[in-house]
Amino acid sequence: MNRSKVLAKLVLESTQADVNLTVREHRGLQSVKLSRMLYRQPQVLTPARKDVLVVTPWLAPIIWEGTFNTDILNEQFSLRNATIGLTVFSIKTYMIFLKQFLQSAEMYFMVGHRVIYYIFTDKPEYVPYLNIQKGRQIIILEVESYYDHWQDISMQRMEMISNFCQERFHQEVDYLVCSDVDMRFSDHVGVEILSSLFGTLHPGYYGLNRTDFPYERRPQSQAHIPKDEGDFYYIGALFGGSVPEVYKLTKACHEAIMVDQANHIEAIWHDESHLNKYLLYHKPSKVLSPEYLWQQQQMDHMHDQEMIFSKIIRRKKLKVLKKNYQLKNW
């Protein structure tokens, strides 16, 4: 095969997604003509948002409503033919949240793109049947949970995600979004969040000084962060990135948790503390604003924060549901 035909073949392979394109053949060569994209020209001298920080000191974008064009991003990711995996742990009594989570994800999560829902559960027979969109599938991963407390179950997911990254995720998806199950999508969450590594700003600590972040402060823990260090406080309920980067993150966090257990210490906020330590020294390439994870029950007790958010939050895309941490019958 000559060089021209090889180049044409590569172009076709990179545009196998369901996008508008025309393929023409001329003298044995194939050319691809993409559909036109019409949108308003970016205003160089007019920032998309003036009321919030939109880029980190290491030049990672902070994703707020109004800072991106959904149509452009959807077109670009369609050309990449990307598949997104969404991992969720529905273990013990947290199974009660799964149906609402999946139903809302079908309405708002990565609409128009290929998605695989990975359901980690100890009760596969209780996973609800849903009539999902074309190009999507649900894969049930049966796991055993050896723990009684939600904190331990939460930390267990780091080990499981890292193991499955090696065993199958790298063969099936391009990106992983790792979410808690006790949540409901309430607005569109699309490809604007995807990057090699992303974390989500915790709404309860947005805008506070680093000394007020609930980092693990004990030097004996692997999650320890000194008082004079820290960028943001990230919530453990939503993070992700490419499969290789998520593997590195979850493997590092799991290993740190194991070291702490051997030393008879547990980080103050469990796996979330280890996540914050990792993202401090391995900077995320995108940061999601608090619009992507809203905790109304926490805001009810933080009136100053709620006043700030009332001026800057345009959409609440993923809402945390109320739950009972005192549940005994796991």
Side-chain angles (χ1 to χ4, degrees), residues 105 151 165 200-201 262 275 310:
Q151 299 96 325
C165 280
T200 305
L201 299 182
L275 174 74
S310 67

Coordinates of all heavy atoms in Angstrom, one line a residue, residues 105 151 165 200-201 262 275 310:
A105 N -28.5 9.4 35.0 CA -27.3 9.4 34.1 C -27.7 9.2 32.7 O -27.1 9.8 31.7 CB -26.3 8.3 34.5
Q151 N -17.1 4.0 55.6 CA -15.7 4.5 55.4 C -14.8 3.5 54.8 O -14.0 3.7 53.9 CB -15.1 5.1 56.7 CG -15.9 6.2 57.3 CD -16.9 5.7 58.4 OE1 -17.4 4.6 58.3 NE2 -17.1 6.5 59.4
C165 N -8.7 -1.6 36.3 CA -8.0 -0.9 35.2 C -7.0 -1.8 34.5 O -6.9 -1.8 33.3 CB -7.2 0.3 35.8 SG -8.2 1.7 36.2
T200 N -12.6 17.3 41.5 CA -13.7 18.2 41.6 C -13.6 19.0 42.9 O -13.3 18.4 44.0 CB -15.0 17.4 41.6 OG1 -15.1 16.6 40.5 CG2 -16.3 18.3 41.7
L201 N -13.8 20.3 42.9 CA -13.7 21.1 44.0 C -14.9 20.8 45.0 O -16.0 20.8 44.6 CB -13.7 22.6 43.6 CG -12.6 23.1 42.7 CD1 -12.7 24.6 42.5 CD2 -11.2 22.8 43.4
A262 N -1.2 -0.7 58.2 CA -0.1 -1.4 58.9 C 0.5 -0.6 60.1 O 1.0 -1.2 61.0 CB 1.0 -1.7 57.9
L275 N -6.8 11.0 48.3 CA -7.0 11.6 47.0 C -6.4 13.0 46.9 O -5.8 13.4 46.0 CB -8.5 11.6 46.6 CG -8.9 12.3 45.4 CD1 -8.5 11.5 44.1 CD2 -10.4 12.6 45.4
S310 N -24.7 31.5 45.6 CA -25.9 32.1 44.9 C -25.6 33.0 43.8 O -26.4 33.2 42.9 CB -26.9 32.7 46.0 OG -26.2 33.9 46.5

